[in-house]
Amino acid sequence: MRNHEVAAAQAYVRLLEATRAVLADPAEAPLYMPLLASPIEEADEALRSAGLSGNEDRLFALVRVLHPSLSGSGR
C-alpha cells in the first residue's frame, strides 16, 4: 500500500466520521453541514493524488485493511 493510498483511505474515514457526527442530531444537521466542506475537499484531493477517484472498489478495500471495524463484519 502506497503512502498516497493510505492518506486517501484515512481522509475518507475522517469524512465518514465527520458526516456521522453532523447527522447524529437531525434537527441540528443543517447548522453543521457547512463543516463538511473541508473534509470533503481533503478527501477529494487525497483520492485524486492516489489515483483512486472513481475507483471505489480499491478505496473500500484499502479502508477495510486500515479500519476493519468499518467493514461491517464485526471482526
Side-chain angles (χ1 to χ4, degrees):
M1 192 177 322
R2 298 180 342 232
N3 289 340
H4 283 0
E5 292 175 331
V6 171
Q10 290 172 334
Y12 167 78
V13 170
R14 283 191 291 277
L15 174 58
L16 179 62
E17 290 170 347
T19 302
R20 285 178 175 167
V22 165
L23 297 177
D25 183 356
E28 298 292 322
L31 296 172
Y32 298 110
M33 291 296 270
L35 298 176
L36 294 177
S38 179
I40 289 170
E41 288 176 26
E42 176 194 13
D44 282 346
E45 177 58 33
L47 290 170
R48 274 192 298 278
S49 293
L52 294 171
S53 293
N55 192 347
E56 291 82 9
D57 289 340
R58 177 72 180 137
L59 171 63
F60 295 143
L62 293 167
V63 169
R64 282 190 298 274
V65 168
L66 294 173
H67 299 278
S69 63
L70 294 177
S71 71
S73 65
R75 287 190 237 164

